Amino acid sequence: MPDELTSAPPDTARATSSGTGPTTTTTSDAVTVTTTPAPPKDDVVSTRHSLKVGRRTLRYTATTGRVVLREEVLEDGVFKGHQAKAEMNLTSYVLDAPAGTNRPVTFAFNGGPGSSSVWLHLGLLGPRRVDSGDVGALTPPPYGLLDNAETLLAVSDLVFIDPVSTGYSRAVEGGKPKDYHGFKADLESVGELIRLWTKRNNRWLSPKFVAGESYGTTRAAALADHLQSQHGLYLNGLMLISSVLDFATVDFEFSNDRAHVDYLPTYAAVAHYHGKHGRKALKTVLAEAEEYAARDYPWALSRGSRLTPAERAEHVRRLAALTGLSQEYVDRANLRIEHVRFFTELRREERLAVGRLDARFTGPLAHGNAEMWDADPSYDAISGPYAAAWNHYVRHELEYANDLPYTQISSVAHQEWSYKEFEAKPVDVSGQLARAMRANPHLKVHIAYGYHDGATPYYGAQDVVAHLDIPAALHDNIEHAYYEAGHMMYVHEPSRLQQSRDLADFVTRAAAR
């Protein structure tokens, strides 16, 4: 199935291009020159590749580059045309297939907000993957790339999307990047790119999936509803990797104590990994933590100063035993353990900080008495390998040249991100996911959890899904997968292999009629 990509035919591009950047007037020695920037054009390249997967050889077209997004502009009720607003970076992989074959297509992105899609692209789903190593056996610079024989391309075409201000995606010249740094604007721009790619590649009748990680699950859940309501584009499935649909589950500033409860089983799993539970099996530790988080712990927090000294002492003891922290620390924390403080405290005596994205990782504390670590050792371990792999891959193998820096994580976008649609309340898209499932009862949802994920705790994510406002029968459309790994569970090789199988199986089943 040829990938016509993403660029409109030349005549169409000319017909729809309007609204160039601002004019510039320069005056020198009585000579005035007025210039208008040329309208932006799609800038994409396609290359041919093959990959050996078992006894099969996958032959496919890779297309990467920037696609111009345009918006319909009305001024005082007068249509002013389709004006270029942003240039969005994507990479697609389309497998050679006989005419008439209706392969699924998966649109994938990471989160942040402010993250590019490089992590899912080169870590799990794409046909090439980064050689980064793992805890205790990290690959040294300059790192490398490997064939990914477990790529999802075996069962689905792939489109990786970088939201505006990430990757090579930018607002057009004269545009304001901040206009895209927000929940609704991001949803609309990513949704428009999905619609555009689907239309230009004649894929309306293909089974369609969206895969998101972290904040990407927030975006994905809301997109399911947005694509249905705005474009009539109904999905076959969602893949939510390290899910966070309700920010109250991770917001320690919110005054209802929910995050403290939702993080407790994660703390217990992390403590187990770091040897704080002796010979107990992880399954036993999680069962104890979940039972306490379901009943006694929320009750204790709700009592506040009404706890008797004996009751308080008992809960201090139980929390300390589950989390691996000292009773003195738990008491001083008033039974409420914030997550970065936990990662700083757990192995403080060894002057080690524990990772947040992946709590299997440790790194040296800059200061032994620091309240919070100065950096996440798990992010430090993976950022270099992914940057090296992508910057080599995109030029050397995909043959796309762009001198812009490829922005893995945009701190500016993250800091500017607007949630004005949720003013004075936590961000919560569970209602939009429920709405999408009620409107489309064929929509299947796969949720992947990492027990050692300190960014999006599995117990809180489970709780949100259990409270979706959907008919009981639709809960059968939701499946759960658990891994003894972190936020990006594919960093852990056994988990990567299992997760690749799980996702391929999910897509195959959800695409079947």
Side-chain angles (χ1 to χ4, degrees), residues 431-445:
Q432 287 160 282
L433 175 58
R435 162 63 187 156
M437 294 184 71
R438 293 195 303 269
N440 177 12
H442 301 288
L443 178 64
K444 303 295 194 296
V445 182

Side-chain angles (χ1 to χ4, degrees), residues 199-214:
K199 176 182 179 181
R200 291 181 180 179
N201 290 275
N202 300 317
R203 301 301 291 269
W204 272 97
L205 294 183
S206 295
K208 289 173 282 294
F209 295 80
V210 166
E213 179 181 291
S214 192

